[in-house]
Amino acid sequence: MDEERADTVRPGAGSGAAHKEAPCMEECLDYFRKRPVYGKVFAKIREKTVGLGHFGGKVIFTSLTQQEKEELEGFFQKSFRNQKTVTISAALMQKALDTSRFSSLHWEAILEAYFGEPLVGKQELMRRKSEEQTLFFRQFLDGEEAETDGKDTQSPGQLWLRRVLEEGGAGAGLLLTQYRENREQLRTALRMVMRASEQLPVFRRTLETLPVFAARITGNPHDFDADRVSGRLLETFLADYGGCQREPEYSESEWKSRILYQAGLLRDELSNDTMVYGIQAERRDGTLHEGICGFYRMKEPVVCTLRTLGALERAWGAPNVYVVENPAVFSELMHRYPQSSLVCTNGQPRLASLVLLDLLKTSGTLWYAGDFDPEGLLIAQNLKRRYGDALKFWDYQPSYYQKAVSEVELGDKRLRMLEHVTEPELLPIAELMRCSRRAAYQEAMLEWAYRIG
C-alpha cells in the first residue's frame, strides 16, 4: 500500500489522543496532487457531480496500473491490487474523508480547489448558458449591437431575428450552431446583416451587384459571399424578408439568385441572361427601353441580362409569345416567322428568363416547347405550374415524339425522373418514353411542328 497515508484518526479523537490542529486545504491538495491517480478520480467524479447537480454517483476504472491502485489504497484503506475493475463511489469517498485527517473539509470544496473553478450542476449550468445566449441576442434586438440604439422602430434585420428566435424555422439552426462554435464571428456577421437590412437597393428601386453592396456596407466586397457566415445569414434574412418559398423550377443556384434579386441584389449581372426576339419594353420611369425596342424595330434578337430586365416596368410582344428551350430552334423560328415574338430559355430557365416571362404573361399567351426527354418534361411541368392558364404546351403530341424519337438511350436514373411527371398533357409522352427508353429533341421536329400564324 501507499506508505504515506492520510491519517485515519480524527484530530482529538480517542482517549488521551494528542490534540492536532485541523489540516488546511493546502495540505489536502498537496496530498492528492502528489498522487496522479486522484486526478483521474476527481475528473470523473466532478463530471458526475455536475450532471447530478450534487456530489454523488460512482466512477469505474478498468485499466489502472498497480502503482495507481496502491496510491488509492492509502486514502481509502482498502486493497485494490487484485481487482481488474476499480469502482469508486461518492459514498466510499465520503467515508474515507470522514475517517481521515481531512474530515473537517467537504468534497465540493476540495474539488473546487483542486480544479480552480466552482462546481456547477447541470441545471444551473444550463440556466447560465441560457441567460448568456439570451443576453447575446438581446443586444441585437435592443439595438446595442445592431447600431440602432435609440431609434423608434426596429430594422428589418431586428424583426427577422426576433421572429427566428421566438418562432424557430429557417435560420434558427444556423444561428444557434454558430453561437456555440464561434460567437464572436457570429457577432460580427450579425452586425453586417443588421446594417445591410436597412440599406437594400430595393428600397431605392435600384439594382446593385452583391460585391459592390458588400463593399458599401462592410468595406469588404467578399463579406457576403456564400461561403461566409455573414453571406449565409444575409441569404436567410432575405428569403424571410421577401417571403420567398422555394419553387421547383429553380435550381439551387437560380434560387439563391432569386432571393437576392427580389432585394435588388445581383450575384452576377451579366452572365444571367435570356435571348428574346420581337419584344418591346418600358422602363420604370415610363419611357421605352430604346435598346430592346431598337432591336425590335430592326427585327434582330437581343440578349437581355438580369440587370437590363430588372429596370423594366413591363414588356410585351405579339398576342402569342413562343418560348423554346433550344437556341437552334429559336434561331430557325426567328428566320421563318419574322413577325413573331420569341424567347429562348437555353435549357433550364434561368432567373432572367423567368423575370421576363413574369412581365410577358400579362400581355399575351405564352406557348412553351421543349425537348422530349425527362428533364425537358419536368421543365415544361414546372413552367405550367408557375404560370397556370397563362402558359400552354406547344405541340406536345405523342405522335410527334414517336416520329422524332432518337437513338439516345435513357438510363435508369433519368427514367426514374419520369415518376415526377404528373401533368395530364405530358403523361402520354412520358409513358411512351418509359417504354422506348429514348429521347426526342426539338431540332428533329422542326419540319412538321412549331408552325406560327
Side-chain angles (χ1 to χ4, degrees):
M1 289 189 179
D2 185 0
E3 293 182 359
E4 184 184 351
R5 300 180 179 182
D7 188 351
T8 57
V9 179
R10 293 190 184 186
S15 175
H19 178 76
K20 297 180 182 178
E21 184 179 349
C24 64
M25 180 65 74
E26 285 73 16
E27 291 180 64
C28 178
L29 296 178
D30 183 64
Y31 175 86
F32 290 121
R33 284 171 177 162
K34 284 181 177 179
R35 297 156 179 80
V37 70
Y38 289 101
K40 295 182 178 180
V41 175
F42 290 173
K44 284 197 170 186
I45 202 69
R46 177 176 180 269
E47 184 178 345
K48 286 284 185 181
T49 299
V50 170
L52 294 171
H54 61 85
F55 180 70
K58 63 181 179 181
V59 294
I60 300 173
F61 300 91
T62 59
S63 58
L64 293 181
T65 66
Q66 196 61 37
Q67 174 65 32
E68 289 174 326
K69 291 178 182 178
E70 291 178 1
E71 290 176 358
L72 291 176
E73 290 172 350
F75 180 72
F76 289 106
Q77 291 294 285
K78 177 181 178 180
S79 176
F80 297 107
R81 67 183 59 192
N82 295 322
Q83 297 182 16
K84 291 184 178 180
T85 299
V86 174
T87 300
I88 304 294
S89 66
L92 179 62
M93 292 178 66
Q94 189 61 54
K95 180 179 179 181
L97 183 65
D98 289 343
T99 57
S100 77
R101 62 193 178 94
F102 307 130
S103 59
S104 61
L105 303 176
H106 299 282
W107 273 120
E108 288 87 346
I110 294 172
L111 292 173
E112 288 183 350
Y114 188 91
F115 291 104
E117 60 184 19
L119 286 174
V120 180
K122 183 179 291 184
Q123 291 183 340
E124 175 64 15
L125 188 63
M126 292 176 63
R127 186 189 67 79
R128 292 185 186 181
K129 288 183 176 181
S130 178
E131 287 182 352
E132 288 180 5
Q133 179 177 301
T134 299
L135 178 61
F136 176 90
F137 289 111
R138 177 61 59 188
Q139 291 174 323
F140 289 93
L141 296 177
D142 291 344
E144 298 172 31
E145 288 285 5
E147 302 176 1
T148 58
D149 196 20
K151 292 186 178 180
D152 294 334
T153 59
Q154 291 193 311
S155 71
Q158 287 174 297
L159 295 173
W160 160 75
L161 183 60
R162 184 180 298 279
R163 277 195 303 275
V164 171
L165 294 174
E166 292 179 354
E167 302 173 13
L174 174 60
L175 285 169
L176 297 180
T177 297
Q178 190 61 34
Y179 174 83
R180 289 191 297 268
E181 294 179 353
N182 192 331
R183 70 180 65 178
E184 287 311 309
Q185 185 181 57
L186 176 61
R187 188 189 304 278
T188 300
L190 278 174
R191 285 172 180 166
M192 295 177 184
V193 173
M194 294 297 160
R195 199 179 306 140
S197 75
E198 297 187 283
Q199 301 183 50
L200 298 176
V202 71
F203 297 152
R204 307 188 307 276
R205 292 176 63 83
T206 62
L207 293 171
E208 192 170 14
T209 61
L210 187 61
V212 172
F213 176 71
R216 178 166 64 84
I217 298 299
T218 73
N220 186 339
H222 298 292
D223 269 336
F224 292 133
D225 286 358
D227 61 347
R228 299 198 177 190
V229 175
S230 48
R232 292 162 64 197
L233 284 175
L234 179 67
E235 181 184 307
T236 304
F237 157 70
L238 292 177
D240 176 88
Y241 177 75
C244 294
Q245 299 295 322
R246 181 67 182 269
E247 299 176 52
E249 60 266 29
Y250 289 121
S251 66
E252 182 67 22
S253 177
E254 289 298 306
W255 169 240
K256 291 181 178 181
S257 294
R258 177 68 174 177
I259 291 173
L260 293 171
Y261 179 78
Q262 52 87 30
L265 294 167
L266 304 174
R267 294 175 70 189
D268 181 349
E269 63 177 328
L270 298 179
S271 64
N272 198 313
D273 56 40
T274 191
M275 190 181 301
V276 303
Y277 174 82
I279 300 295
Q280 300 186 75
E282 182 181 281
R283 298 169 60 88
R284 288 178 177 173
D285 62 5
T287 62
L288 291 177
H289 191 290
E290 292 299 332
I292 295 175
C293 291
F295 278 91
Y296 169 81
R297 290 191 296 271
M298 297 177 68
K299 295 190 183 307
E300 292 186 9
V302 58
V303 174
C304 292
T305 66
L306 198 54
R307 162 77 74 173
T308 299
L309 296 169
L312 301 182
E313 181 66 28
R314 66 189 187 99
W316 64 95
N320 293 311
V321 176
Y322 296 91
V323 184
V324 295
E325 179 183 346
N326 191 284
V329 174
F330 172 89
S331 178
E332 186 65 26
L333 292 175
M334 179 185 68
H335 291 298
R336 290 185 183 184
Y337 306 102
Q339 303 303 318
S340 64
S341 295
L342 302 166
V343 176
C344 179
T345 66
N346 196 11
Q348 179 73 37
R350 308 188 70 185
L351 178 58
S353 296
L354 296 175
V355 170
L356 177 61
L357 296 181
D358 287 348
L359 294 170
L360 291 170
K361 70 178 181 180
T362 60
S363 62
T365 301
L366 305 175
W367 290 84
Y368 180 75
D371 289 331
F372 289 172
D373 61 5
E375 295 85 354
L377 294 187
L378 287 174
I379 290 173
Q381 177 172 274
N382 288 334
L383 287 172
K384 182 64 175 177
R385 288 176 177 175
R386 181 182 180 91
Y387 295 109
D389 293 340
L391 181 141
K392 299 183 183 300
F393 294 129
W394 187 22
D395 284 347
Y396 276 77
Q397 299 183 32
S399 60
Y400 285 180
Y401 167 80
Q402 292 172 311
K403 192 172 182 180
V405 68
S406 70
E407 294 302 314
V408 177
E409 185 173 354
L410 301 172
D412 291 340
K413 184 177 180 180
R414 295 182 70 189
L415 286 171
R416 283 196 294 271
M417 297 172 65
L418 296 175
E419 298 173 3
H420 302 287
V421 176
T422 58
E423 192 67 33
E425 289 182 65
L426 302 178
L427 286 175
I429 297 175
E431 185 57 32
L432 288 172
M433 196 180 302
R434 191 178 285 110
C435 294
S436 68
R437 303 178 67 90
R438 295 288 190 274
Y441 297 103
Q442 284 192 286
E443 296 93 328
M445 294 185 282
L446 273 170
E447 295 309 312
W448 65 83
Y450 312 135
R451 300 288 186 261
I452 296 177

